[in-house]
Amino acid sequence: MSDRRNAEDIYRERRASKNLDVENWRKYWEDAGPIRFAEEYLFCPPNVPPYPNWQASQEEKYCEGCKTTHKKFHDNGVPVHIILSEDQKTLLTDVWKNGIRLVLISAGRGAGKTFTYGVWDCWRMCMREYYEITCMGGSSEQSKIIQRYMDFWRRSHKEVGWIIHISSKAIGNRGCRTRMHGEIRFIPCSPTAAMGPHVNEVQVDEVCAAESKGVEGQEAIEAIDWQVTGRPETYVWMTSTSHFLLGKFYEILTNPIKYGFKVYFWGIAKHTSGKSSNQIYTDRDLTHWEPAVWWVTQDEITKLRRRKSNEEWLCWALGYPSLASGQVFRQGDLNAVVCSLCEI
């Protein structure tokens, strides 16, 4: 009886797959890549603010993802599909096409680093067979955020919902599984988690939050490299605001070539002069700062620049390490007083 039931389940799944034309769908979006997948297929999550001046960009055209003709924005100005920032597009292009396998993002709060994980993970898990990802958050709550994105897209899109068919929220067993024998685990960062099964990708969100908790968090970050041994085409991602400078994240941030990482700095604000934000962050003229991402408003940028100290602004808004992150001396000051005449 059990064998018959299993055979019937397999038959129903195959019939459903054929009706959805999942294989052709997967082939199309694998070739299209994660950026088009996000901007032409995935629906924009709820609680997103209206796009700036959306009325001027409103248009109606045929959408390859929806297979229908629809407007670009809902009547409240929220995009129908995701609109990525230029920083997000650059990163996704590098990882997808340019061979970048070790990624470190130092970002301000709200710059879109966690959401980028969600987009990449949804696309990757739908396109690959026998693919495994471990996604660790600096806190137990942080590790749940990406799963909420995945669940939204599972419910919103029949193809994603068919492929990523299980989403478990049991304590100690949070994760999603696919019909192509893929799995992504969402767990808090800990030494035990870091010594888990070998996977294709390890992603650590809010690394500094994990490292600032003490020895256990730092040991967990040190151990993640061992998870991607023995697998082809492996990736390690580290993202965080740079608010703790006594761990591996800051070590890699300041010496990426040694560790083989590519470093990205993301902020929610930019200076109107076009100069690098970390060189002009002390400018307190409110009219000189504007949003660097569309989901943060000018009013929010003005309020934050008015209320936050220079060091907080540098770290939490612009995405760079600062004195407020616990550093005792500035790197430039140290360079000025350290002798460079010999190797010692």
Side-chain angles (χ1 to χ4, degrees):
M1 188 70 177
S2 176
D3 290 342
R4 180 178 178 182
R5 187 182 302 112
N6 289 339
E8 289 175 348
D9 289 343
I10 291 172
Y11 173 74
R12 280 195 297 270
E13 287 184 3
R14 286 178 177 172
R15 184 173 61 184
S17 173
K18 187 175 182 180
N19 290 340
L20 288 174
D21 200 12
V22 170
E23 288 309 309
N24 284 333
W25 177 89
R26 289 178 62 221
K27 177 70 171 94
Y28 178 87
W29 289 111
E30 183 174 18
D31 292 342
I35 296 174
R36 283 191 57 204
F37 181 72
E39 297 197 324
E40 299 175 26
Y41 177 80
L42 293 179
F43 289 139
C44 202
N47 301 320
V48 172
Y51 190 81
N53 302 317
W54 63 272
Q55 295 93 339
S57 303
Q58 181 69 288
E59 61 179 345
E60 185 174 304
K61 64 179 183 178
Y62 179 77
C63 176
E64 186 63 39
C66 300
K67 302 295 183 184
T68 60
T69 298
H70 65 75
K71 294 180 179 179
K72 185 175 181 179
F73 301 97
H74 295 291
D75 292 339
N76 59 0
V78 173
V80 173
H81 297 299
I82 294 163
I83 299 178
L84 297 169
S85 71
E86 291 306 312
D87 286 330
Q88 290 171 323
K89 290 180 183 180
T90 297
L91 172 66
L92 290 172
T93 300
D94 281 349
V95 176
W96 173 44
K97 278 193 165 185
N98 297 336
I100 301 300
R101 299 286 181 263
L102 302 176
V103 171
L104 186 144
I105 304 172
S106 178
R109 288 281 290 168
K113 56 188 185 301
T114 304
F115 185 73
T116 307
Y117 274 146
V119 168
W120 172 265
D121 290 347
C122 186
W123 177 77
R124 199 66 161 175
M125 296 305 293
C126 285
M127 304 304 147
R128 294 300 178 94
E129 297 180 345
Y130 298 96
Y131 204 81
E132 295 178 273
I133 299 175
T134 294
C135 188
M136 296 189 289
S139 65
S140 58
E141 190 59 36
Q142 190 69 27
S143 63
K144 300 175 185 177
I145 296 175
I146 301 172
Q147 187 171 10
R148 287 200 288 268
Y149 289 137
M150 300 281 278
D151 286 341
F152 170 73
W153 292 319
R154 286 177 62 249
R155 293 190 298 267
S156 302
H157 303 284
K158 59 185 179 181
E159 294 90 353
V160 174
W162 191 88
I163 295 172
I164 306 176
H165 68 122
I166 293 176
S167 181
S168 171
K169 296 181 175 64
I171 297 175
N173 191 32
R174 297 189 68 96
C176 297
R177 284 183 237 167
T178 76
R179 296 185 192 274
M180 283 89 70
H181 314 286
E183 182 175 5
I184 178 169
R185 298 186 305 146
F186 301 102
I187 52 180
C189 187
S190 69
T192 303
M195 296 301 290
H198 295 287
V199 295
N200 300 90
E201 297 189 33
V202 176
Q203 303 167 348
V204 192
D205 198 12
E206 294 299 349
V207 176
C208 289
E211 292 189 305
S212 65
K213 293 177 181 177
V215 176
E216 282 199 358
Q218 294 169 23
E219 288 179 349
I221 302 303
E222 291 282 356
I224 63 176
D225 289 333
W226 301 108
Q227 281 196 70
V228 292
T229 55
R231 290 291 184 99
E233 195 184 7
T234 56
Y235 300 77
V236 173
W237 308 61
M238 293 186 182
T239 60
S240 190
T241 51
S242 298
H243 60 85
F244 182 75
L245 305 185
L246 300 176
K248 196 71 173 182
F249 186 84
Y250 184 68
E251 195 174 327
I252 295 173
L253 179 68
T254 53
N255 198 353
I257 296 176
K258 175 182 176 181
Y259 293 97
F261 276 74
K262 182 167 182 179
V263 172
Y264 302 82
F265 290 98
W266 292 2
I268 61 170
K270 59 184 178 180
H271 200 268
T272 55
S273 68
K275 295 180 180 178
S276 178
S277 298
N278 65 323
Q279 297 176 359
I280 202 167
Y281 71 97
T282 55
D283 184 357
R284 301 196 66 89
D285 189 326
L286 304 180
T287 64
H288 290 171
W289 295 99
E290 60 187 16
V293 293
W294 68 264
W295 53 86
V296 176
T297 67
Q298 182 64 56
D299 286 344
E300 290 174 313
I301 295 300
T302 300
K303 178 182 69 176
L304 288 168
R305 177 68 285 216
R306 178 184 289 117
R307 295 173 56 184
K308 301 303 178 181
S309 69
N310 290 338
E311 299 298 333
E312 284 182 293
W313 181 248
L314 179 63
C315 178
W316 295 96
L318 305 181
Y320 289 88
S322 72
L323 292 175
S325 304
Q327 188 171 255
V328 179
F329 300 104
R330 296 179 189 272
Q331 187 65 44
D333 294 340
L334 288 175
N335 292 338
V337 299
V338 172
C339 174
S340 60
L341 299 180
C342 57
E343 296 182 0
I344 301 176

